[in-house]
Structures are given as structure tokens and as C-alpha cells.
Amino acid sequence: MNPLLSSLEGMTSMYMMSQPGPHTAQSIRNIIGQLRVTPMFAGQIDDVEAEKLARLIEEKYGISMGLGAIVDAEDFHPWLRDARINGKIGDFYWSRYRQLLNLKGLPKAVIDATDEVTDRILDRLGDPRNMNPWSRCGMVVGHVQSGKTANYTGLICKAADAGYRLIVVIAGIHNNLRNQTQARIDEGFIGRDTGRLAHSNRARRQKIIGVGQFDQREFPVSLTNTLCDFNKATATTNTSQIGQYNVPVILVIKKNSSTLRNLLEWLKENSVHQGTQMVNQSMLLIDDEADNASINTAYSRDEVTRINSQIRELLSLFHRSCYVGYTATPFANIFIDPDTDDDALKQDLFPRHFIIGLDAPSNYFGAQKIFIDDRDRHVRLIDDNEDILPIKHTINQPVDVLPASLMQAIRTFIVARAIRNARGQLASHASMLINVSRFTEVQGKLRSMVTDVVSHIRDAVVVDGGKDHAALKNPEIAALHAVWKAEYEDVEGIDWAQVQTRLHDVLVAVQVVEVNASRRSQPLDYDQGGEHGVTVIAIGGFSLSRGLTLEGLMVSYFLRNSMMYDTLMQMGRWFGYRPGYEDLCRVWIPAAGVGWYTHIHEAMDDLQAQLKRMELAKATPEQFGLAVRSHPESLIVTARNKMGTGKQLPVRVGLAENLVETTRIALDTAQLEINFHAGEKLVTEAIASGISVVSRPRGYLFQGVDVNMIMDFLRTYRAEPSSRPVNLLTDPTLINDYINERAASELEKWDIFLASSTRRDMTPLSFADLRVTPYELSVDAELVPRGVLAFSGASRRIGSAEDESEGLTGAQIADAREAFRSSRSDKKLPKTVNPRIYRQVAGRRPLLILRLVKPKLSAEETVGDLPQGILAWGLSFPSSQISGGTVEYVVNTVRMREIFGEEETEKEAPGDAE
């Protein structure tokens, strides 16, 4: 953006902030129009530039952020408001941080919401002026890459203002994440570069950064720095005793058993010094990624894992302490037994005092936008890796050639960076993520191959990049041009000539680095970019899978396999904020992965909605934990070893407000025919009983069908290719028990929706004397030879969200959609709504969805003769009022492993020396 346009933006923003009330798209343009004719800008800003500026400001000021939901313990007593009114706490640290957020360009609405929600969290911590012993334990649930670090940095600032004098932040299990977190704390709380402060050359030690630019009167003391984790020798050298400080002391440490042991030993050694007890200080412990490594995964109550026990011991050292766990995937934390106690270690880390759900700002680039609303723009499918780089491979996997899809992704990143430079974003960072293996040896081979590819492209551009149209005779430049045409030709205001002239600068700047635990690993140092920003292709596995932020991430290539939802969500580093380049972002992922993330999004979205419902019901964290533990999605969102027992596991599973579908069907011709005729019999008997056939735009509806007919159909129908279903929810025993318990009451009458495709190129079939058009759905090619039809379409679902609106009136549908819109932080209705809103409509009947499916097979696949239409079904259960809406289901760890597989784990990084 040219300086004159920047000045106009600043003046427009100032004018808008001085005017009360919300601004519309038209009012923004009116303000710009009025300023354009003033002497300062007259005749110098054309209409195109003015419109671009209007869109930029509209996007910035149109961003909103809700305050989330809170589930409190019964003994919550607020103290913060009175303390402020009485002038007992100030806002020195928070005021500096707020100025920094404003300087970084965060929208005022987001800063205001952060201010409010951090007040809510602080109010639920202990009052540091209360000298009686107390302890508090809570959890904050955010979204992946949505700004949790910024939130807890704000909380730290306010806690310091309130009087907390010892603050410990436990970051990830790797040095790179700890260092990144320390740098964020340096910028947002300390105000000085701690790495520079630790330098032996005193002349170079002082470097003011971040909040230090605004006020330098009271710098906090940090016992760690961006170069080094905590060790006892450094801590003893830098401070003799925490109790002597009038400013807060902060530590940012790895989640590592040896580091925690060193800290515990040092605190014990220095707990009494010159008559002052360190343990009398009020202590705040922030546990970042609280579901990772902090959970007690020892199955017996007599055993406690090291890191869990050390965190509990750290808290127990202090007479006044509070623990706040931050996570985007909180199910493991909620599975903690709230009754677990220990004389030495005190209570486990169950968030017994509060659970707060953070709303993401409306500009959050999350799963809804990527995998549902705008999937065609952002998602590219990987289907060419199995012969080259299979998802399942060993440590010795050769990497002699790259899949064509990865080559395409690398070229896309180069072109996208050139477009950003053409947009004036040269000083911004740009990153690409490649996560295809958990083995560092394979990652090293991959880095070498990617480096060779980038070098080859760079050489081509150096030789021929300046030859205008003749450059396209070079195959490498022609390939980049083909990427531009396929991905970005419709990008407004950027043509190929502008891209080509910037390719050289992009390729000179590109770095290919490994981010892992090997000696080859390089830090992601975005501070060294200078005025041109950093352009990096990061290759890694675990180190790229949790907590670490890749600045300016545009292109992701992801080939990982995990049945654990929390692991998959944390691997989604592509979530976050993409101002000014969201349209350029691409994610390469297998087709099955798209379904996983779509499904996970619904589970996580429901968790936040459930928090809001339980807030209205004034439920406690224990009650919320029970509700989540009975939620079927929670059985597969987290690893089995985080659920508490290694023997028989009684799980109370609730089907209320959930959809169960037959996504896997055995390739058994005889059984497929039995299933088909069972569906025909159900429809025929329903009509014979007097149920009317209601024609719908996408099929037929039958209302008020007796539950006994539904049960007869389910007893006859068989889907799973083995005696044990791969999904607990499709187990006939579980479904039968759930329906039986409610057959005489809320599940007595059912609706049946017989869906029919609207595609004109599909041939209708006869089904119970009705004309029904089957749906064509893709199946997993790997499972077909094994006799399994596993439907693996983009949503990994048999039906669509709108199926579940069948049986409701127009008014009920409109009310449900409006309630859903109102519950969202952006107050907008997405293209695809969460179908759970239809299940929550008061008084609605359960819904059985019948659908004829035609498997979509490639030419190479042969599975023998199949019926023209395979019958699949879905059960949509409404809310339940019966004893929490659950049934007990008992499984053991072996069974869990059969269903969900083993969780990928990694050894913790070594701790620093004592």
C-alpha cells in the first residue's frame, strides 16, 4: 500500500472510531469519499484504490468476537470488580499489552472481547490479596491456532496487575515451541528480549521490544529466556529469592520431567530464605496444550505419570495457587476423574472450578471455512502417494521421487508468495508445511528432495525468468504458469506478468528447513526476515503438530493417519488467521482426511454449544464432564490411555441429538438383498398401517411410524463386515438398548425419510412401488478388495445436513436456523449448518433416513455383481429427557485398540542441564 493510501486508511479509521454505533459497508465508503476530496488527497486516490481500501477497512471493522461460555463451580465468589472499585489493583501490564494489540492492528471488537474474557478468567482465579490458603483449577477451551497464547498473555498481564508474583507457563514438550512461547511472553509481558539479556556482553544486553516500547518502569523478572529453558544454576545466579521482588517473576518451561524436577528442587531449596517463605507467594500456573502430557495416563489409582505428578506437586508447594489449562481439544481433560486425590499430590488436574469456552473471532480461518463453506477453493486431494510415499511406512522408507501432488503444492507456494509480494506484502512472512511422516529419518530424506526441487526451479528462473513470454518455453516456468492458471488466474488485480517478474526474488528467499528433534533441525526464526519477511518450507512431524505457529502459512501438504481426533486437530496448523491472503491458501490432504476434519469440526462445535447450554442451566464442571463422557463423539476424540482405566471400561454412551449412519457395508450380495427388502417391507407396512406418503422435493416422508416397525427393520438389516462394528455407535446392541429404554415414551413414534437424488443422469429404481433415484458415493478403494464398502466421500457421511430437517415445519426450520445464527460469534449463517440444530427442536420425532446408494468405483476395481442400489440408513435422534439420555456400554482396552488403533506418541525432549 502506498504511503498516501496508508494515510487515508489511518484517517478513515480515526474518523470511524470517533463516531458511535456500528458502521455499514456504505458508511465506510461515504467516509472515504468525503476524505478523498479534501486538499490532502484530492485527485490522488482513484476509484479502484478507494474501493480496495473500503474492502480492507470493511473486513477489519466487520470482525466480531463473542465472549464464549462459562461453566462455574457452585462456590464461585467474584472479587475482581470490588478490588478495582476500591483501587486495590491497577492496570499497568494490561494497559501496555492492550496498546501492543492495537499497534498490531487487531480489531477493536477483538481487543474489547479479549479484555472482557480475561477479566472473566481472572475473576475465577484466587484473589492474591487473600492470605488464607486456597487453590483453584480451571480450563480454557479455544480453537486450534485461534489466539490462545494471546489470551493467556493478557491473563498474565492482568494477574500481575492484581498481585500475582510468581507465574509459570508450561509450554510444549519441544524446545522450538517453548522458545516461541518465551518470545511471545517477552513481547507481550516482559518488554525486553530475554535472549539478549542473557548475553555475556553487557553492552548488547538491553533490547526493548513489544510492550516495553510504551512504558519501562516495571519490567518483570524472567528466570528463563529465548535461548535457554529453566536450570537451577541460572535461576540462583539471577535471583536470590522470589519474595524480595516487587515485580512479578515469570518462567516459561518445557513440559519435560527433568525440567520440572529441577524447578521443584530449586523451589524447595529456596523456599525459606532470610525468614521469607517463597511458598507464601500467590502462584499462577498456565498449562499450554493442557491435554498433552499433563494427563495422568497411569491406569491404577496407585500410579501417577511423572509430568502429571510433578505439576500436582508444584501446585501443592504453594499455599495459594491456581492452575489454568489451555487447550483446543479438551476431551482428555474432562475424562480426568474429579474424585482423584492424593495426600502428597493433592487433587488431580480436573477443571473443578471453571471451564470457559472461547469464541473465535469472525475472521478465524477454521475447519468450517476450509472443509465445509469453501472446500472447493481451499482443499486439494492427494491420491498419488501410495506407490511413492504411503501413509503407513517404516523408518527405512525411501524417498527417491516426490508425488506429483507434492510438486504441485510446492509450485503453488512459490506462485502464491509471488502474488503476495505483488500485493505489497513483501515484508510479511510466508510458510509452507509438509507433514507426511513421524520418522525424522524420512523427514531428512524429504528435505533433501524438496531442496533439490526448489534449487532446480530457482536455476530455471535465474536463466529464463526475465524473458517475458519466451520464458514459458522453459518447462519449469511453464509448470509454474500452469499452477497460476489452475489456482490463481481469477485473483483480482494480479496477472501472470506480475507473478513472473517476482519469481526470482521469491526463489532466492526460499528456505527449506526441518523442524524436528534431529540434529539437522533448524529453528523457525521469523525475526530474521528484515524488511522482506521470511519465506520458508517447513518439513517435520510431531514438532509441527502441536502448538507451533507457522507465520504466514499458505500451503499445507498433509499425509498423516490418526484415529484420534485431538491428534488430528492439533496437526491442523493451517487453521488461524490469514488477513489479505486467505484466498491464496491451499491444503493438500487425502480424501478421507477431508471427512475426518469435517466430522471433527462438528464434534468440537457441539462441545462449544454444549458449554453454552450448560452455562444457561447453571451446571457445574463435574456435571459438564459427565455430559461429555456420555457423548459418543468423546469416545474417539482422544486417546484411550487418557480415559482412566486399563481394564473393563464402562462408558455411558448417549445417542441423544446424534446421527448414526451405516458408512461401512459388507460386500455380501445375499445380505445386501436382505437389507434392500427389509427397507421395502418397512415402507410397505408403514403405508398399510395408514401412514400417508408425503412427496418431498428430495424424496418421500412418512410421519408417525410405530417404533416396533423400526426395530424390526434394524434387527433384520446387517451392515458391518464383521461381528464387531468399527464404530461403537453402529453397534446393534447399543442402538437396541437405547431405543428400548425409550420405546414407550419419546421414541414411540418415528418419521421415515426415503431420500431420492435429484441428479437427472441417474436412473430411478423401484422401491416399495415408489420411484427412487440412488445417490452415487465414492468408496475407499483399499477396502473394496477386502469385501468392504466404506463410503469415503468429501463429508464421510451418507446423507446431507438438510435430510435431518425433514419432518419439521417451515417455521421450526426457520427458528432453528435463526437460533444457530445467533449463537455464532460472527452472527452469520454458514452455507452448511450443523444438522444438530434440527435434532434439538422441541417435540420433534426421531428420524430414520433411508437412502439407495450406488458405489462409485474406478475402472480398475472389480467387485463382482452388485445390486443397482444398495440400501443405507441413518438414525437421527432428538433430545432426550430420560436420565441424561445415556446407556452403559462396557469395553476393554483391547477392544478400544481394535476400533481406534494405537495413538502416535513421541518421547519427550531432553531437559536442560541443572
Side-chain angles (χ1 to χ4, degrees):
M1 185 180 293
N2 67 58
L4 200 63
L5 209 58
S6 296
S7 297
L8 180 56
E9 179 192 7
M11 292 186 66
T12 305
S13 299
M14 290 175 59
Y15 188 89
M16 290 173 61
M17 291 175 67
S18 68
Q19 300 297 310
H23 287 274
T24 65
Q26 187 57 51
S27 71
I28 293 171
R29 285 161 177 77
N30 290 342
I31 294 169
I32 293 174
Q34 293 170 18
L35 292 173
R36 280 176 64 193
V37 299
T38 61
M40 181 177 178
F41 303 106
Q44 300 185 69
I45 306 293
D46 62 32
D47 291 343
V48 174
E49 290 177 315
E51 179 58 26
K52 285 184 178 179
L53 178 60
R55 291 182 183 179
L56 178 68
I57 294 176
E58 185 181 353
E59 176 182 312
K60 181 175 179 180
Y61 283 88
I63 295 170
S64 60
M65 180 176 172
L67 296 178
I70 302 175
V71 175
D72 274 318
E74 293 177 349
D75 62 348
F76 167 55
H77 299 292
W79 58 269
L80 183 59
R81 181 173 176 273
D82 287 344
R84 285 198 173 131
I85 291 174
N86 295 330
K88 294 182 178 180
I89 62 175
D91 68 346
F92 173 79
Y93 293 109
W94 167 252
S95 176
R96 296 196 310 172
Y97 187 56
R98 185 179 180 108
Q99 291 180 72
L100 179 66
L101 295 179
N102 187 60
L103 184 67
K104 286 176 169 289
L106 264 72
K108 184 176 182 298
V110 173
I111 298 175
D112 289 345
T114 301
D115 189 1
E116 174 66 24
V117 78
T118 48
D119 268 2
R120 292 184 176 194
I121 300 170
L122 180 61
D123 209 14
R124 282 152 180 83
L125 305 185
D127 181 354
R129 296 168 300 117
N130 178 1
M131 302 307 293
N132 296 317
W134 47 258
S135 65
R136 306 284 292 177
C137 190
M139 182 171 67
V140 179
V141 182
H143 300 261
V144 175
Q145 295 286 88
S146 66
K148 294 185 296 299
T149 305
N151 183 278
Y152 69 66
T153 302
L155 177 62
I156 288 169
C157 291
K158 289 187 173 181
D161 285 327
Y164 280 86
R165 284 296 171 262
L166 178 61
I167 301 166
V168 179
V169 179
I170 304 180
I173 62 175
H174 296 290
N175 286 321
N176 50 25
L177 179 54
R178 192 215 69 85
N179 295 345
Q180 186 180 83
T181 304
Q182 178 78 60
R184 299 277 182 83
I185 297 299
D186 286 1
E187 180 187 43
F189 177 54
I190 297 172
R192 295 190 288 188
D193 184 340
T194 55
R196 184 73 65 89
L197 281 171
H199 202 279
S200 59
N201 184 347
R202 289 184 174 274
R204 297 183 56 197
R205 288 178 67 178
Q206 182 81 337
K207 182 181 179 183
I208 304 300
I209 61 172
V211 294
Q213 304 169 72
F214 307 115
D215 198 321
Q216 301 175 23
R217 287 175 296 165
E218 299 179 19
F219 287 115
V221 172
S222 179
L223 301 186
T224 55
N225 58 65
T226 52
L227 305 177
C228 184
D229 199 350
F230 176 83
N231 67 65
K232 291 193 289 183
T234 302
T236 302
T237 300
N238 289 342
T239 176
S240 60
Q241 177 192 339
I242 291 176
Q244 293 179 346
Y245 282 97
N246 292 320
V247 294
V249 175
I250 188 165
L251 303 87
V252 180
I253 65 174
K254 278 199 305 291
K255 194 173 293 186
N256 174 277
S257 58
S258 62
T259 302
L260 282 163
R261 185 189 67 245
N262 290 339
L263 176 58
L264 285 165
E265 290 175 355
W266 182 80
L267 285 169
K268 291 173 183 177
E269 291 167 5
N270 292 274
S271 61
V272 179
H273 184 81
Q274 297 179 355
T276 303
Q277 288 194 349
M278 184 184 299
V279 293
N280 281 333
Q281 295 291 333
S282 53
M283 193 269 280
L284 168 62
L285 174 60
I286 303 285
D287 186 0
D288 196 8
E289 307 295 341
D291 64 306
N292 185 34
S294 301
I295 307 299
N296 179 22
T297 56
Y299 297 125
S300 169
R301 285 176 179 255
D302 296 329
E303 299 175 13
V304 181
T305 49
R306 283 185 302 174
I307 290 177
N308 176 266
S309 67
Q310 288 167 327
I311 293 174
R312 291 162 66 180
E313 185 178 0
L314 177 59
L315 292 168
S316 70
L317 282 180
F318 292 83
H319 302 320
R320 297 175 298 147
S321 67
C322 45
Y323 170 92
V324 185
Y326 276 78
T327 181
T329 48
F331 288 88
N333 304 75
I334 297 169
F335 275 114
I336 296 172
D337 185 349
D339 296 325
T340 301
D341 208 339
D342 184 277
D343 288 340
L345 302 177
K346 306 305 177 187
Q347 294 175 327
D348 204 347
L349 303 179
F350 181 82
R352 66 190 68 253
H353 294 107
F354 65 87
I355 301 173
I356 295 181
L358 299 178
D359 282 348
S362 55
N363 64 330
Y364 176 59
F365 189 65
Q368 174 78 36
K369 190 172 290 185
I370 298 172
F371 295 108
I372 299 176
D373 292 349
D374 217 356
R375 179 188 299 153
D376 292 342
R377 165 177 281 185
H378 297 300
V379 176
R380 301 294 176 265
L381 300 183
I382 302 173
D383 57 8
D384 60 352
N385 64 290
E386 278 305 309
D387 294 334
I388 301 171
L389 190 60
I391 290 179
K392 294 182 179 179
H393 57 259
T394 67
I395 195 172
N396 299 315
Q397 173 67 37
V399 185
D400 302 321
V401 65
L402 299 182
S405 56
L406 179 52
M407 294 289 294
Q408 187 81 347
I410 294 169
R411 294 185 180 111
T412 299
F413 174 64
I414 293 168
V415 172
R417 179 50 161 167
I419 293 174
R420 288 191 65 190
N421 289 354
R423 288 177 171 175
Q425 299 173 15
L426 183 66
S428 301
H429 304 307
S431 302
M432 176 179 179
L433 174 154
I434 300 177
N435 188 343
V436 301
S437 176
R438 66 190 178 99
F439 300 113
T440 58
E441 289 80 359
V442 177
Q443 295 163 22
K445 297 173 187 176
L446 189 64
R447 180 191 57 79
S448 297
M449 287 294 299
V450 173
T451 300
D452 290 345
V453 166
V454 172
S455 297
H456 193 62
I457 298 173
R458 182 187 298 123
D459 292 343
V461 170
V462 168
V463 173
D464 292 325
K467 295 181 179 179
D468 297 327
H469 294 296
L472 295 179
K473 294 180 180 179
N474 185 304
E476 288 296 340
I477 299 176
L480 292 172
H481 178 262
V483 164
W484 173 78
K485 284 190 68 69
E487 298 290 345
Y488 302 127
E489 187 176 23
D490 61 346
V491 169
E492 185 178 346
I494 304 294
D495 58 24
W496 170 250
Q498 293 172 284
V499 172
Q500 185 176 318
T501 59
R502 289 167 173 82
L503 289 175
H504 180 270
D505 290 344
V506 171
L507 286 157
V508 168
V510 171
Q511 308 168 51
V512 182
V513 303
E514 277 181 74
V515 182
N516 52 32
S518 73
R519 292 183 177 180
R520 302 179 305 272
S521 179
Q522 296 173 256
L524 284 172
D525 191 350
Y526 291 102
D527 293 332
Q528 304 304 315
E531 61 184 34
H532 295 295
V534 170
T535 303
V536 63
I537 298 176
I539 300 169
F542 287 104
S543 295
L544 290 178
S545 296
R546 183 178 279 272
L548 195 68
T549 298
L550 286 83
E551 302 287 349
L553 181 61
M554 294 192 296
V555 174
S556 301
Y557 191 89
F558 182 76
L559 259 182
R560 300 296 295 278
N561 184 22
S562 173
M563 288 300 292
M564 306 308 166
Y565 284 14
D566 48 6
T567 304
L568 283 169
M569 282 301 284
Q570 292 293 349
M571 286 179 175
R573 297 292 97 195
W574 46 81
F575 303 132
Y577 303 96
R578 306 290 181 259
Y581 62 99
E582 183 179 296
D583 59 326
L584 307 180
C585 295
R586 301 291 184 268
V587 178
W588 266 263
I589 193 170
V594 178
W596 294 336
Y597 279 100
T598 303
H599 195 56
I600 297 167
H601 165 69
E602 291 184 2
M604 303 307 293
D605 195 44
D606 181 57
L607 175 74
Q608 293 284 352
Q610 196 170 13
L611 262 173
K612 292 177 180 178
R613 290 196 298 272
M614 300 201 81
E615 178 187 35
L616 293 174
K618 300 190 182 303
T620 65
E622 285 86 351
Q623 290 168 327
F624 177 73
L626 289 171
V628 170
R629 272 169 263 169
S630 68
H631 191 293
E633 298 298 348
S634 69
L635 292 173
I636 43 182
V637 295
T638 191
R640 293 312 95 215
N641 65 351
K642 297 175 184 176
M643 287 183 61
T645 175
K647 299 178 182 179
Q648 289 294 103
L649 179 64
V651 182
R652 292 192 63 80
V653 182
L655 296 180
E657 296 183 11
N658 279 278
L659 175 71
V660 181
E661 289 186 307
T662 51
T663 56
R664 293 166 58 98
I665 298 177
L667 266 173
D668 180 332
T669 305
Q671 185 60 54
L672 291 175
E673 291 185 1
I674 292 172
N675 292 346
F676 189 93
H677 292 310
E680 284 192 306
K681 178 185 177 185
L682 171 62
V683 171
T684 301
E685 290 183 350
I687 295 173
S689 71
I691 302 296
S692 300
V693 181
V694 180
S695 292
R696 303 288 295 151
R698 298 181 301 111
Y700 306 92
L701 180 66
F702 309 84
Q703 295 181 288
V705 180
D706 188 85
V707 65
N708 292 315
M709 295 184 187
I710 304 295
M711 294 294 284
D712 287 344
F713 166 73
L714 294 175
R715 277 190 287 268
T716 306
Y717 189 103
R718 288 289 178 270
E720 291 290 351
S722 67
S723 59
R724 286 181 167 178
V726 296
N727 187 338
L728 289 178
L729 272 65
T730 58
D731 191 313
T733 303
L734 172 63
I735 296 171
N736 182 74
D737 290 348
Y738 186 85
I739 295 177
N740 270 338
E741 191 173 351
R742 295 156 181 78
S745 54
E746 57 194 24
L747 299 185
E748 182 181 12
K749 297 295 182 182
W750 287 62
D751 291 344
I752 300 173
F753 177 57
L754 177 57
S756 182
S757 173
T758 57
R759 279 180 53 176
R760 295 184 178 180
D761 60 335
M762 298 292 290
T763 303
L765 303 176
S766 176
F767 185 87
D769 294 329
L770 298 170
R771 301 296 287 171
V772 178
T773 304
Y775 289 77
E776 188 175 54
L777 293 180
S778 299
V779 294
D780 191 326
E782 292 184 9
L783 295 178
V784 170
R786 305 180 202 172
V788 179
L789 289 176
F791 297 102
S792 55
S795 64
R796 211 163 183 85
R797 287 285 173 85
I798 296 296
S800 66
E802 293 310 302
D803 287 347
E804 296 186 70
S805 67
E806 295 293 342
L808 299 176
T809 66
Q812 286 176 318
I813 294 171
D815 289 346
R817 292 170 69 87
E818 175 58 26
F820 181 59
R821 185 195 64 77
S822 299
S823 69
R824 291 170 57 90
S825 59
D826 59 5
K827 304 303 179 186
K828 295 179 180 178
L829 195 67
K831 294 178 183 177
T832 303
V833 301
N834 188 331
R836 185 167 273 107
I837 67 172
Y838 301 129
R839 304 169 208 152
Q840 295 168 351
V841 172
R844 84 147 302 157
R845 285 185 289 264
L847 178 68
L848 168 64
I849 303 165
L850 299 177
R851 182 181 296 264
L852 297 183
V853 176
K854 179 181 179 182
K856 186 178 181 180
L857 306 171
S858 66
E860 294 78 18
E861 293 165 343
T862 56
V863 295
D865 294 330
L866 286 176
Q868 289 182 296
I870 293 172
L871 183 65
W873 55 254
L875 296 173
S876 176
F877 290 100
S879 302
S880 175
Q881 303 301 319
I882 298 178
S883 62
T886 63
V887 293
E888 188 163 285
Y889 194 90
V890 179
V891 293
N892 58 30
T893 51
V894 174
R895 175 78 176 102
M896 284 292 187
R897 223 171 273 125
E898 290 175 351
I899 298 172
F900 306 116
E902 297 282 2
E903 185 193 28
E904 291 184 352
T905 57
E906 183 182 25
K907 296 177 182 178
E908 64 180 55
D912 287 356
E914 298 186 9

